[in-house]
């Protein structure tokens, strides 16, 4: 991956519908690893990183997996000023938000009854499950940005 200066990133990235910048790659090792590189060079986000294929994806406990084309491979990072204990709660918050987003997205498409007879749930700590099958997952990673250890990038 080529790391661009913050000015170059600003020039090249399109914005998502919500206004958050998006960087896209055809293939990458890991979108989370790419996001951490941007944090390490001083970006504070928010920023989405999206790839068509991921060759070195990873999950909890360092488990590796390969993300095939046609699946969603994306990472979002931003900066929070909070304690490590507060940052640890973000995984559950993100999982609950993901379930709500899936339900709201289908409702906006007029498919309000589509999820009525489906078992959509969060399998702790990070998997989105529908009728017993995994639909996706959330991996939260943090890094300290300040010497006082209160600012975290996720």
């Amino acid at each position: 991956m080529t790391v661009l200066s913050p000015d170059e990133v600003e020039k090249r990235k399109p914005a998502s519908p919500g206004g958050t910048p998006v960087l896209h790659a055809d293939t990458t090792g890991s979108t989370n690893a790419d996001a951490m590189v941007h944090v390490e060079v001083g970006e504070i986000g928010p920023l989405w990183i999206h790839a068509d294929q991921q060759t070195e994806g990873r999950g909890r406990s360092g488990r590796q997996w390969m993300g095939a084309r046609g699946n969603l491979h994306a990472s979002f990072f931003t900066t929070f000023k909070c304690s490590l204990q507060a940052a640890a709660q973000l995984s559950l918050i993100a999982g609950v938000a993901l379930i709500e987003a899936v339900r709201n997205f289908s409702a906006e498409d007029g498919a309000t009854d589509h999820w009525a007879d489906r078992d959509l749930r969060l399998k702790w700590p990070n998997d989105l499950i529908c009728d017993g099958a995994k639909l996706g997952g959330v991996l939260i990673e943090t890094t300290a940005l300040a010497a006082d250890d209160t600012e975290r990038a996720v």
Side-chain angles (χ1 to χ4, degrees), residues 6 27-28 37 40 52 58 62 70-71 77 79-80 84 95-96 100 107 114 125 127 135 142:
T27 301
T28 190
V37 170
E40 290 167 3
D52 295 330
R58 60 188 190 281
N71 293 322
F77 86 85
T79 301
F80 295 100
L84 183 57
V96 170
E100 289 182 11
H114 178 75
D127 292 338
L135 292 182
T142 60

Side-chain angles (χ1 to χ4, degrees), residues 45-102:
L47 176 67
W48 278 103
I49 297 177
H50 168 257
D52 295 330
Q53 182 177 23
Q54 209 169 227
T55 60
E56 298 171 25
R58 60 188 190 281
R60 235 171 35 103
S61 303
R63 292 185 183 104
Q64 293 188 329
W65 57 274
M66 190 162 184
R69 290 186 185 281
N71 293 322
L72 174 63
H73 312 101
S75 293
F76 173 78
F77 86 85
T78 192
T79 301
F80 295 100
K81 186 166 180 126
C82 64
S83 68
L84 183 57
Q85 293 80 11
Q89 299 174 31
L90 291 173
S91 185
L92 178 59
I93 293 167
V96 170
L98 180 60
I99 287 176
E100 289 182 11
V102 168

